Amino acid sequence: MTEEWSFETAREPAAFAAAIAPREHTQHAYDGENHTLCGLSTEPMELYLHHFDRYHDESCPECGTRAAAAPTEPCGQERLYNRLLEADASPARENLLAALRRGAYIRLWITGPGRQMAQYYLKPDRITEGRDAVAAAFDTDDSVGLARAESPTGNFVVALAFDAPPVIARSA
């Protein structure tokens, strides 16, 4: 983290899925609306789980130019910050919001079935404040996000359920 860090300076380039037409080796950027950024229909194309790489030798130059010009996207810290605005007001929330504004490191951010996430990733013995509330948020088979953020002012664990406000705890 540096003094110059901000959500604005940490924004990330837009990401697009890769699309390749059968019998063609050119990689295109999928726009999410059944077309490539250069305007081709993706109906006869295969979509891939990896991102379009405009620097790849076989990438479409037009898609590369348009991908580079696309608006940037929020970094992980900004995305987590925005989710935490829905959390109940507390000193832990305010401390974590301030830490994220300064570029706190997000060590982990994953989603899965609550009880399984708790079993493998929650580490309740390391939670020093808010253990019961966070454990309750993971007491479900529904999907729950788990984020761990670290900063010089403290370490945090966040439960991110889809149908409830985030729950924040402090950890060692």
Side-chain angles (χ1 to χ4, degrees), residues 16 43 96 144 150:
F16 300 93
E43 287 298 320
L96 180 51
V144 179
E150 301 174 355

Side-chain angles (χ1 to χ4, degrees), residues 55-69:
Y55 298 108
H56 192 277
D57 290 343
E58 296 176 343
S59 291
C60 167
E62 180 68 19
C63 284
T65 299
R66 290 176 186 239

Side-chain angles (χ1 to χ4, degrees), residues 19-26 28 41-48:
I20 300 176
R23 296 181 300 273
E24 181 185 318
H25 296 291
T26 303
H28 295 274
S41 170
T42 54
E43 287 298 320
M45 294 189 181
E46 296 175 351
L47 298 178
Y48 288 80

Side-chain angles (χ1 to χ4, degrees), residues 65-161:
T65 299
R66 290 176 186 239
T72 57
E73 298 176 347
C75 63
Q77 288 87 347
E78 185 176 359
R79 291 191 310 269
L80 184 56
Y81 181 95
N82 290 336
R83 285 291 310 274
L84 293 177
L85 295 175
E86 304 165 12
D88 293 336
S90 70
R93 182 186 96 147
E94 298 312 311
N95 289 332
L96 180 51
L97 289 172
L100 289 167
R101 283 191 301 270
R102 291 188 303 272
Y105 178 63
I106 299 174
R107 175 163 297 285
L108 180 73
W109 190 349
I110 56 177
T111 301
R115 288 185 189 93
Q116 287 182 342
M117 297 287 288
Q119 181 180 359
Y120 296 105
Y121 299 103
L122 187 56
K123 301 178 183 175
D125 57 317
R126 299 194 63 195
I127 297 175
T128 59
E129 178 185 318
R131 179 181 309 146
D132 293 342
V134 166
F138 284 97
D139 190 18
T140 180
D141 290 323
D142 293 340
S143 286
V144 179
L146 179 130
R148 290 187 181 283
E150 301 174 355
S151 78
T153 60
N155 297 325
F156 302 87
V157 175
V158 182
L160 298 158

